[in-house]
Amino acid sequence: FGAGRGKSMMRILLVHPEAELVAVCDKYEPQLEKVREMASELGTQVALYKDFDEFLKHDMDAVVLANYATEHATFAVKAMNAGKHVMSEVLPSETLAQAIELIEAVERTGLVYAYAENYCYRNDTFEMRRRYEACEIGEITYAEGEYIHDTASIKPGITYGERNHWRNRTQPFFYCTHSFGPIMTITGRRPVKVVGMQSRFVSKFYEKALGPGAAALELVTLDNGALVKSIHGGLKREPGSVNYEIYGDKGCMETQRFADRDAQASGIFSKKLNVWKEGDKVCQGELETFFPQKFIEKSLAESSSGHGGSDFYATHFFIQKILGKEQGKYSIDVYTAVDM
Protein backbone atom coordinates (compact mmCIF):
# COMPACT_ATOMS: atom_id res chain seq x y z
CA PHE A 1 0.00 0.00 0.00
CA GLY A 2 1.80 3.09 -1.31
CA ALA A 3 3.47 2.91 -4.71
CA GLY A 4 6.01 5.71 -4.21
CA ARG A 5 8.22 4.74 -1.25
CA GLY A 6 6.89 1.21 -1.66
CA LYS A 7 8.80 0.61 -4.89
CA SER A 8 11.93 -0.38 -2.99
CA MET A 9 10.05 -3.20 -1.23
CA MET A 10 8.24 -4.14 -4.45
CA ARG A 11 11.55 -4.71 -6.22
CA ILE A 12 12.60 -7.03 -3.40
CA LEU A 13 9.33 -8.99 -3.48
CA LEU A 14 9.52 -9.36 -7.27
CA VAL A 15 12.83 -11.26 -6.99
CA HIS A 16 12.65 -12.86 -3.54
CA PRO A 17 12.58 -16.69 -3.75
CA GLU A 18 10.03 -17.01 -0.91
CA ALA A 19 7.56 -14.26 -1.79
CA GLU A 20 5.38 -13.01 -4.62
CA LEU A 21 4.13 -9.48 -5.25
CA VAL A 22 0.45 -9.82 -6.19
CA ALA A 23 -1.24 -6.44 -5.66
CA VAL A 24 -0.46 -2.74 -5.17
CA CYS A 25 -2.75 0.06 -4.01
CA ASP A 26 -2.24 3.83 -4.41
CA LYS A 27 -4.55 6.78 -4.99
CA TYR A 28 -2.09 8.34 -7.47
CA GLU A 29 -2.54 6.70 -10.88
CA PRO A 30 0.83 7.70 -12.42
CA GLN A 31 2.55 5.68 -9.66
CA LEU A 32 0.38 2.66 -10.42
CA GLU A 33 1.36 2.90 -14.07
CA LYS A 34 5.03 2.81 -13.05
CA VAL A 35 4.33 -0.36 -11.06
CA ARG A 36 2.69 -1.94 -14.09
CA GLU A 37 5.75 -1.16 -16.20
CA MET A 38 8.15 -2.44 -13.54
CA ALA A 39 6.29 -5.76 -13.22
CA SER A 40 6.02 -6.13 -17.00
CA GLU A 41 9.79 -5.73 -17.38
CA LEU A 42 10.20 -8.72 -15.05
CA GLY A 43 7.63 -10.77 -16.95
CA THR A 44 4.85 -10.73 -14.36
CA GLN A 45 1.52 -9.05 -13.66
CA VAL A 46 0.38 -7.24 -10.52
CA ALA A 47 -3.21 -6.31 -9.66
CA LEU A 48 -3.58 -2.54 -9.22
CA TYR A 49 -6.08 -0.81 -6.93
CA LYS A 50 -7.00 2.76 -5.99
CA ASP A 51 -9.35 1.74 -3.15
CA PHE A 52 -7.81 0.20 -0.01
CA ASP A 53 -10.91 -1.80 0.97
CA GLU A 54 -11.01 -3.44 -2.45
CA PHE A 55 -7.28 -4.05 -2.25
CA LEU A 56 -7.73 -5.88 1.09
CA LYS A 57 -10.10 -8.36 -0.57
CA HIS A 58 -7.29 -9.60 -2.82
CA ASP A 59 -5.99 -13.11 -2.13
CA MET A 60 -2.75 -12.39 -0.28
CA ASP A 61 -1.03 -13.27 2.99
CA ALA A 62 0.51 -9.97 4.01
CA VAL A 63 0.39 -6.22 3.44
CA VAL A 64 3.37 -3.85 3.32
CA LEU A 65 2.39 -0.35 4.46
CA ALA A 66 4.31 2.38 2.65
CA ASN A 67 1.53 4.97 2.82
CA TYR A 68 1.57 8.33 4.61
CA ALA A 69 3.61 7.97 7.81
CA THR A 70 0.88 9.47 10.01
CA GLU A 71 -1.65 6.81 8.96
CA HIS A 72 0.23 3.53 9.44
CA ALA A 73 -1.50 2.37 12.62
CA THR A 74 -4.98 2.95 11.20
CA PHE A 75 -4.31 0.83 8.11
CA ALA A 76 -2.29 -1.78 10.04
CA VAL A 77 -5.28 -2.48 12.30
CA LYS A 78 -7.57 -2.64 9.26
CA ALA A 79 -5.27 -5.10 7.51
CA MET A 80 -4.89 -7.35 10.57
CA ASN A 81 -8.65 -7.36 11.08
CA ALA A 82 -8.83 -8.67 7.51
CA GLY A 83 -6.44 -11.51 8.41
CA LYS A 84 -3.26 -10.09 6.86
CA HIS A 85 0.22 -10.00 8.35
CA VAL A 86 1.60 -6.42 8.33
CA MET A 87 4.93 -4.75 7.74
CA SER A 88 4.81 -1.04 8.55
CA GLU A 89 7.43 1.24 7.04
CA VAL A 90 7.52 4.48 9.05
CA LEU A 91 6.14 5.17 11.62
CA PRO A 92 4.19 2.65 13.74
CA SER A 93 1.74 5.14 15.27
CA GLU A 94 1.10 8.85 15.65
CA THR A 95 -0.51 8.85 19.12
CA LEU A 96 -0.46 6.72 22.27
CA ALA A 97 -4.10 5.74 21.65
CA GLN A 98 -3.12 4.41 18.22
CA ALA A 99 -0.19 2.54 19.75
CA ILE A 100 -2.50 0.76 22.21
CA GLU A 101 -4.98 -0.10 19.45
CA LEU A 102 -2.14 -1.44 17.29
CA ILE A 103 -0.71 -3.65 20.06
CA GLU A 104 -4.17 -4.99 20.94
CA ALA A 105 -4.80 -5.84 17.25
CA VAL A 106 -1.54 -7.83 17.10
CA GLU A 107 -2.34 -9.67 20.34
CA ARG A 108 -5.95 -10.34 19.34
CA THR A 109 -5.21 -11.67 15.86
CA GLY A 110 -1.90 -13.46 16.53
CA LEU A 111 -0.63 -12.20 13.18
CA VAL A 112 2.92 -11.07 12.45
CA TYR A 113 3.60 -7.34 12.72
CA ALA A 114 7.00 -6.10 11.58
CA TYR A 115 8.43 -2.59 11.74
CA ALA A 116 10.71 -1.73 8.81
CA GLU A 117 13.10 0.71 10.50
CA ASN A 118 15.73 0.14 7.83
CA TYR A 119 18.53 2.06 9.58
CA CYS A 120 18.73 -0.83 12.04
CA TYR A 121 19.97 -3.01 9.16
CA ARG A 122 22.65 -0.79 7.65
CA ASN A 123 26.03 -2.48 7.25
CA ASP A 124 27.44 -0.48 10.17
CA THR A 125 24.51 -0.69 12.62
CA PHE A 126 23.85 -4.37 11.96
CA GLU A 127 27.53 -5.12 12.54
CA MET A 128 27.42 -3.04 15.73
CA ARG A 129 24.53 -5.20 16.91
CA ARG A 130 26.51 -8.37 16.20
CA ARG A 131 29.54 -7.07 18.08
CA TYR A 132 27.50 -5.80 21.02
CA GLU A 133 25.75 -9.17 21.34
CA ALA A 134 29.23 -10.75 21.44
CA CYS A 135 29.97 -8.51 24.49
CA GLU A 136 32.93 -6.85 22.76
CA ILE A 137 32.39 -3.47 24.47
CA GLY A 138 30.46 -4.54 27.55
CA GLU A 139 27.14 -3.00 28.61
CA ILE A 140 25.99 0.36 27.25
CA THR A 141 26.56 3.45 29.39
CA TYR A 142 25.95 6.20 26.79
CA ALA A 143 25.06 6.44 23.09
CA GLU A 144 24.33 8.95 20.35
CA GLY A 145 22.17 8.60 17.26
CA GLU A 146 22.04 11.26 14.53
CA TYR A 147 19.91 11.60 11.41
CA ILE A 148 20.43 14.95 9.68
CA HIS A 149 18.72 15.34 6.31
CA ASP A 150 17.94 18.74 4.78
CA THR A 151 15.00 17.99 2.48
CA ALA A 152 14.44 21.59 1.36
CA SER A 153 15.43 20.98 -2.27
CA ILE A 154 13.27 17.86 -2.69
CA LYS A 155 10.29 18.94 -0.54
CA PRO A 156 7.93 19.79 -3.44
CA GLY A 157 8.54 16.39 -5.03
CA ILE A 158 8.19 14.22 -1.92
CA THR A 159 5.01 16.04 -0.86
CA TYR A 160 3.44 15.76 -4.36
CA GLY A 161 2.66 19.48 -4.20
CA GLU A 162 0.13 18.90 -1.39
CA ARG A 163 0.25 21.73 1.14
CA ASN A 164 -1.40 19.52 3.79
CA HIS A 165 0.95 16.60 3.21
CA TRP A 166 2.07 14.99 6.50
CA ARG A 167 5.66 16.16 5.97
CA ASN A 168 4.41 19.77 6.05
CA ARG A 169 2.47 19.57 9.31
CA THR A 170 4.06 17.10 11.73
CA GLN A 171 5.99 18.41 14.72
CA PRO A 172 9.79 17.96 14.64
CA PHE A 173 9.91 15.11 17.20
CA PHE A 174 7.79 12.78 15.07
CA TYR A 175 10.50 11.38 12.80
CA CYS A 176 12.79 10.07 15.53
CA THR A 177 13.29 6.37 14.77
CA HIS A 178 16.17 6.76 12.28
CA SER A 179 18.28 8.31 15.03
CA PHE A 180 17.04 6.33 18.04
CA GLY A 181 15.87 3.01 16.58
CA PRO A 182 19.30 1.47 15.89
CA ILE A 183 20.41 2.21 19.47
CA MET A 184 17.60 -0.05 20.65
CA THR A 185 18.28 -2.92 18.27
CA ILE A 186 22.05 -2.78 18.80
CA THR A 187 21.78 -2.94 22.60
CA GLY A 188 18.47 -4.71 23.19
CA ARG A 189 17.56 -1.97 25.70
CA ARG A 190 14.32 -0.01 25.87
CA PRO A 191 13.53 3.61 26.84
CA VAL A 192 11.93 4.45 30.19
CA LYS A 193 12.16 8.27 30.21
CA VAL A 194 12.59 10.98 27.58
CA VAL A 195 13.09 14.74 27.56
CA GLY A 196 12.82 16.64 24.29
CA MET A 197 13.70 20.08 22.95
CA GLN A 198 13.58 21.61 19.50
CA SER A 199 15.83 24.15 17.80
CA ARG A 200 14.74 27.35 16.13
CA PHE A 201 13.58 26.99 12.53
CA VAL A 202 16.41 26.38 10.12
CA SER A 203 15.13 28.75 7.44
CA LYS A 204 12.17 30.94 6.47
CA PHE A 205 11.60 28.52 3.59
CA TYR A 206 10.48 25.87 6.05
CA GLU A 207 8.76 28.16 8.53
CA LYS A 208 6.49 30.06 6.13
CA ALA A 209 6.22 27.92 3.02
CA LEU A 210 6.39 24.24 3.82
CA GLY A 211 5.87 23.56 7.49
CA PRO A 212 8.12 22.28 10.30
CA GLY A 213 11.82 22.80 9.77
CA ALA A 214 13.31 22.69 13.24
CA ALA A 215 15.70 20.01 14.46
CA ALA A 216 14.58 17.89 17.41
CA LEU A 217 16.73 16.59 20.26
CA GLU A 218 15.74 13.81 22.66
CA LEU A 219 17.65 12.81 25.78
CA VAL A 220 16.55 9.26 26.60
CA THR A 221 17.12 7.15 29.70
CA LEU A 222 17.28 3.41 28.98
CA ASP A 223 16.11 0.66 31.32
CA ASN A 224 19.64 0.02 32.61
CA GLY A 225 20.25 3.71 33.41
CA ALA A 226 22.28 4.48 30.28
CA LEU A 227 21.69 7.78 28.47
CA VAL A 228 21.11 8.33 24.75
CA LYS A 229 21.23 11.58 22.76
CA SER A 230 19.02 11.40 19.68
CA ILE A 231 19.05 14.27 17.16
CA HIS A 232 17.27 14.56 13.83
CA GLY A 233 16.04 17.19 11.39
CA GLY A 234 16.94 19.44 8.48
CA LEU A 235 20.11 21.12 9.71
CA LYS A 236 22.43 22.55 7.06
CA ARG A 237 24.97 19.86 6.21
CA GLU A 238 25.87 18.13 2.96
CA PRO A 239 26.01 15.29 2.58
CA GLY A 240 23.47 14.46 5.25
CA SER A 241 24.58 12.79 8.46
CA VAL A 242 23.69 9.32 9.73
CA ASN A 243 25.94 8.51 12.67
CA TYR A 244 25.91 6.29 15.75
CA GLU A 245 28.15 6.00 18.83
CA ILE A 246 27.83 3.34 21.51
CA TYR A 247 29.91 3.59 24.71
CA GLY A 248 30.11 0.47 26.87
CA ASP A 249 31.93 -0.27 30.12
CA LYS A 250 34.64 -2.15 28.18
CA GLY A 251 34.98 -0.10 24.99
CA CYS A 252 33.10 1.81 22.30
CA MET A 253 31.90 1.66 18.70
CA GLU A 254 31.28 4.58 16.37
CA THR A 255 30.60 5.16 12.70
CA GLN A 256 32.75 7.34 10.48
CA ARG A 257 31.69 10.98 10.70
CA PHE A 258 31.85 11.79 6.99
CA ALA A 259 31.47 9.14 4.30
CA ASP A 260 34.57 8.17 2.33
CA ARG A 261 33.88 9.62 -1.12
CA ASP A 262 36.46 7.36 -2.80
CA ALA A 263 34.81 4.33 -1.21
CA GLN A 264 31.36 5.47 -2.32
CA ALA A 265 32.63 5.96 -5.86
CA SER A 266 33.76 2.31 -5.72
CA GLY A 267 30.25 1.21 -4.78
CA ILE A 268 30.75 0.84 -1.01
CA PHE A 269 27.60 2.19 0.66
CA SER A 270 28.54 1.94 4.32
CA LYS A 271 30.92 4.17 6.21
CA LYS A 272 33.83 2.82 8.20
CA LEU A 273 33.20 1.47 11.65
CA ASN A 274 35.60 2.08 14.55
CA VAL A 275 35.61 -0.45 17.39
CA TRP A 276 37.79 0.15 20.44
CA LYS A 277 38.08 -2.61 23.05
CA GLU A 278 39.79 -2.14 26.39
CA GLY A 279 42.22 -4.90 27.35
CA ASP A 280 43.32 -6.20 30.74
CA LYS A 281 44.91 -2.85 31.64
CA VAL A 282 42.80 0.25 32.27
CA CYS A 283 42.66 2.65 29.29
CA GLN A 284 44.74 0.32 27.12
CA GLY A 285 43.33 -1.75 24.32
CA GLU A 286 43.02 -2.11 20.55
CA LEU A 287 41.28 -0.07 17.85
CA GLU A 288 39.85 -1.77 14.77
CA THR A 289 38.73 0.33 11.76
CA PHE A 290 37.05 -1.35 8.81
CA PHE A 291 34.21 -1.31 6.27
CA PRO A 292 31.49 -3.61 7.67
CA GLN A 293 30.13 -6.24 5.28
CA LYS A 294 26.75 -7.90 4.97
CA PHE A 295 26.69 -11.22 6.83
CA ILE A 296 23.16 -12.53 6.18
CA GLU A 297 21.91 -13.50 2.68
CA LYS A 298 24.77 -11.43 1.27
CA SER A 299 24.09 -11.92 -2.46
CA LEU A 300 20.35 -11.29 -2.19
CA ALA A 301 20.90 -8.21 -0.02
CA GLU A 302 23.48 -6.78 -2.42
CA SER A 303 20.98 -7.07 -5.27
CA SER A 304 18.76 -4.56 -3.46
CA SER A 305 19.74 -0.91 -3.82
CA GLY A 306 17.22 0.48 -1.32
CA HIS A 307 19.18 2.27 1.42
CA GLY A 308 22.26 0.15 0.72
CA GLY A 309 20.42 -3.14 1.12
CA SER A 310 18.81 -2.31 4.46
CA ASP A 311 15.35 -2.24 2.85
CA PHE A 312 15.98 -5.84 1.81
CA TYR A 313 16.63 -6.97 5.37
CA ALA A 314 13.47 -5.43 6.83
CA THR A 315 11.41 -7.14 4.11
CA HIS A 316 13.33 -10.43 4.22
CA PHE A 317 13.09 -10.79 8.00
CA PHE A 318 9.33 -10.09 7.81
CA ILE A 319 8.99 -12.98 5.36
CA GLN A 320 11.13 -15.23 7.56
CA LYS A 321 9.03 -14.37 10.64
CA ILE A 322 5.82 -15.32 8.81
CA LEU A 323 7.41 -18.61 7.70
CA GLY A 324 8.60 -19.35 11.24
CA LYS A 325 12.28 -19.42 10.28
CA GLU A 326 15.30 -18.62 12.44
CA GLN A 327 16.18 -15.31 10.74
CA GLY A 328 12.75 -13.99 11.68
CA LYS A 329 14.25 -13.17 15.10
CA TYR A 330 15.74 -10.03 13.55
CA SER A 331 12.32 -8.67 12.59
CA ILE A 332 11.28 -5.72 14.78
CA ASP A 333 8.05 -6.55 16.64
CA VAL A 334 5.20 -4.26 17.64
CA TYR A 335 6.47 -3.64 21.20
CA THR A 336 9.92 -2.53 20.04
CA ALA A 337 8.34 -0.47 17.27
CA VAL A 338 6.08 1.43 19.67
CA ASP A 339 9.00 2.00 22.05
CA MET A 340 10.95 3.53 19.14
Side-chain angles (χ1 to χ4, degrees), residues 18-297:
E18 295 174 295
E20 181 183 1
L21 179 66
V22 295
V24 175
C25 180
D26 198 294
K27 67 179 182 179
Y28 189 56
E29 287 193 48
Q31 289 286 13
L32 291 179
E33 188 55 40
K34 290 179 181 178
V35 173
R36 190 195 312 275
E37 293 171 2
M38 183 172 70
S40 178
E41 288 172 4
L42 291 169
T44 188
Q45 288 186 325
V46 176
L48 304 175
Y49 296 89
K50 289 185 68 178
D51 181 83
F52 185 78
D53 292 329
E54 290 301 312
F55 166 69
L56 269 190
K57 295 175 185 176
H58 197 95
D59 181 18
M60 55 190 174
D61 301 304
V63 172
V64 174
L65 298 177
N67 55 314
Y68 285 176
T70 51
E71 300 175 355
H72 280 215
T74 303
F75 286 96
V77 171
K78 230 179 180 184
M80 284 186 285
N81 285 341
K84 318 294 185 186
H85 303 291
V86 169
M87 183 173 88
S88 172
E89 211 251 335
V90 289
L91 288 132
S93 62
E94 188 176 23
T95 66
L96 286 173
Q98 287 180 358
I100 293 168
E101 186 181 13
L102 178 64
I103 289 172
E104 289 180 343
V106 174
E107 294 178 342
R108 183 180 68 253
T109 63
L111 294 164
V112 171
Y113 174 93
Y115 181 47
E117 177 41 74
N118 48 17
Y119 281 65
C120 298
Y121 305 115
R122 291 163 49 95
N123 285 2
D124 44 21
T125 53
F126 213 2
E127 178 67 14
M128 290 168 89
R129 172 176 176 165
R130 183 163 72 159
R131 299 230 170 188
Y132 187 88
E133 289 176 346
C135 299
E136 290 195 14
I137 66 163
E139 185 177 353
I140 181 175
T141 54
Y142 174 76
E144 294 187 9
E146 179 176 271
Y147 173 66
I148 303 302
H149 185 194
D150 182 10
T151 60
S153 64
I154 60 173
K155 205 72 178 285
I158 60 177
T159 59
Y160 301 97
E162 298 176 7
R163 182 164 292 277
N164 289 324
H165 191 278
W166 69 269
R167 290 181 183 273
N168 293 336
R169 56 188 178 81
T170 53
Q171 41 81 11
F173 296 104
F174 184 60
Y175 209 76
C176 64
T177 69
H178 281 343
S179 54
F180 182 69
I183 306 300
M184 284 187 64
T185 55
I186 290 166
T187 65
R189 292 292 177 180
R190 63 182 302 268
V192 294
K193 185 170 68 174
V194 59
V195 176
M197 293 181 286
Q198 72 176 52
S199 73
R200 69 178 182 85
F201 285 99
V202 175
S203 70
K204 295 297 181 183
F205 172 82
Y206 276 116
E207 187 173 6
K208 293 192 173 179
L210 290 172
L217 172 74
E218 297 95 27
L219 185 63
V220 185
T221 305
L222 300 182
D223 56 358
N224 73 335
L227 294 179
V228 179
K229 185 187 84 172
S230 164
I231 186 168
H232 50 97
L235 300 175
K236 290 297 177 183
R237 183 190 193 279
E238 295 296 336
S241 174
V242 182
N243 286 296
Y244 304 96
E245 300 175 13
I246 308 285
Y247 288 86
D249 49 23
K250 295 197 297 184
C252 69
M253 297 183 285
E254 62 180 45
T255 55
Q256 182 181 3
R257 188 68 185 167
F258 274 88
D260 188 313
R261 292 186 181 274
D262 292 334
Q264 286 189 329
S266 302
I268 298 174
F269 174 78
S270 66
K271 297 186 289 187
K272 287 179 180 176
L273 179 63
N274 298 306
V275 181
W276 185 79
K277 293 176 283 188
E278 188 175 55
D280 295 332
K281 294 184 177 180
V282 175
C283 299
Q284 294 184 28
E286 60 178 76
L287 174 65
E288 185 181 0
T289 301
F290 60 100
F291 281 110
Q293 302 297 310
K294 293 175 173 57
F295 59 93
I296 294 178
E297 302 292 349

